[in-house]
Amino acid sequence: MTGSEPLTIEEEYEMQQTWRTDDDSKYTSLNKPCMEYTQKPQAKKYLIYHVECTFIVLAKPQPDDDNNVFDSSRMIGDVNFYLNNVYNPHEAELEVMIAEDGCSGKGVATEVLQLMMHYAVHDVGVTDLVVRIKESNAASIHIFEQKFGFTETERSKAFQEVTLRRT
């Protein structure tokens, strides 16, 4: 898990359900601004885009499963990116969470992050990637630094998190 608060798997299921049913501006497309922002003192108007992309992570089907991708009992986590930097619209902030007991530490997060980053870079046009990870989450820091070449750029004592970037 990166910078988000820990959730139980039940809370994660509930959150996923709200994402399917909420009529919220954070799901707007890249071509549709969520709001206008005025930067002072220049008073130039900028459009803020908050775009979120979520991949739901499913456990591999068992031999006796019907391989139904809409079966929420197979959900083990999610991976997200957000385009929310008003100064760099090509920057994506990544988050990953593998919540199901017995699924972490098996390379699942690495695999889904690789897929998400490929999609963000090659299909969406992202050029810069950033993550914010709790200082105590050594496993996530290791994945981003050692497997994906991110480097530390900031540390927040207030939030007890480290910021890693890859450009």
Side-chain angles (χ1 to χ4, degrees):
M1 183 163 50
T2 48
S4 59
E5 293 300 316
L7 299 175
T8 66
I9 194 69
E10 290 79 18
E11 291 169 327
E12 184 65 22
Y13 289 149
E14 184 178 317
M15 182 185 306
Q16 295 297 330
Q17 185 60 40
T18 64
W19 289 352
R20 291 184 190 140
T21 58
D22 283 355
D23 183 23
D24 192 330
S25 63
K26 68 182 176 182
Y27 306 108
T28 190
S29 71
L30 277 172
N31 299 320
K32 182 179 173 189
C34 295
M35 59 185 276
E36 285 191 357
Y37 169 76
T38 303
Q39 183 183 18
K40 296 177 182 176
Q42 295 89 356
K44 295 179 182 175
K45 286 190 177 180
Y46 295 91
L47 296 178
I48 293 182
Y49 297 91
H50 178 96
V51 177
E52 176 179 339
C53 180
T54 298
F55 288 175
I56 304 301
V57 182
L58 301 176
K60 291 181 180 179
Q62 299 301 313
D64 58 342
D65 287 347
D66 63 3
N67 201 16
N68 179 358
V69 295
F70 299 104
D71 177 5
S72 63
S73 68
R74 289 184 45 211
M75 187 178 134
I76 61 172
D78 62 27
V79 61
N80 311 284
F81 73 76
Y82 307 92
L83 301 175
N84 56 10
N85 184 336
V86 296
Y87 302 107
N88 183 357
H90 299 286
E91 178 185 273
E93 183 174 343
L94 299 166
E95 288 184 349
V96 64
M97 180 193 60
I98 305 300
E100 192 69 38
D101 289 338
C103 294
S104 60
K106 296 185 177 186
V108 175
T110 301
E111 185 176 350
V112 298
L113 282 164
Q114 187 172 13
L115 291 168
M116 179 61 91
M117 289 188 292
H118 184 274
Y119 174 73
V121 170
H122 295 285
D123 294 314
V124 178
V126 169
T127 58
D128 304 320
L129 300 165
V130 62
V131 293
R132 290 176 178 83
I133 305 171
K134 296 293 182 188
E135 290 176 336
S136 60
N137 192 341
S140 284
I141 293 169
H142 173 81
I143 288 171
F144 284 100
E145 287 182 333
Q146 302 301 316
K147 302 208 181 228
F148 296 121
F150 281 65
T151 56
E152 182 177 330
T153 58
E154 299 171 44
R155 225 169 240 274
S156 170
K157 289 183 181 182
F159 293 108
Q160 298 177 346
E161 66 183 18
V162 60
T163 300
L164 306 171
R165 293 182 186 278
R166 180 176 155 192
T167 55

